[in-house]
Amino acid sequence: MNSKNTICLWYDGTALDAATFYAATFPNSAVGPVMHAPGDYPSGQEGDVLTVEFTVAGIPCLGLNGGPAFKHSEAFSFQIATNDQAETDRLWNAIVDNGGEESACGWCKDKWGLSWQITPRILTAAMTGPDRAAAKRAFDAMMGMKKIDIAAIEAALAS
């Protein structure tokens, strides 16, 4: 990995499974080198997958199979910008239908406990745009959603 800054994500023996899922799900994602443990360690044995390098939407990551001591939390998430409802649905459904769970306002969690924000670009543009009344309408519409419904955001902006 050539990046100066790499996100290290802790897994309990499932880093390669997670990396493989992310690479198959998100554009500009891939699985890189896998390092097998050269000896026994507290949560594994010699030969087990210790780390896996991967990218998610162009972001370099390292999956570390560190054992059960630490869990992912909503304090860290990937935010994936989507262009339309089809892309939003595809990514959301891939995560949720693969053992994940829905949350609120475009957030969901994958089966490994990692949080994702599947965020249509139109929502971000509305919320950061100069029309503060439109931003509030888009925000209020979003607050009642789990997966973001672009048609409902557009309706709120038009009202």
Side-chain angles (χ1 to χ4, degrees), residues 44-57:
Q45 299 177 347
E46 180 178 344
D48 288 352
V49 172
L50 184 59
T51 65
V52 58
E53 295 179 22
F54 59 98
T55 56
V56 174

Side-chain angles (χ1 to χ4, degrees), residues 56-94:
V56 174
I59 303 296
C61 300
L62 179 74
L64 169 67
N65 282 327
F70 301 108
K71 305 288 184 210
H72 297 290
S73 81
E74 287 79 359
F76 175 88
S77 65
F78 280 102
Q79 184 179 40
I80 305 294
T82 57
N83 293 318
D84 55 34
Q85 193 66 54
E87 184 181 22
T88 300
D89 292 347
R90 183 185 72 75
L91 296 176
W92 179 275
N93 294 339

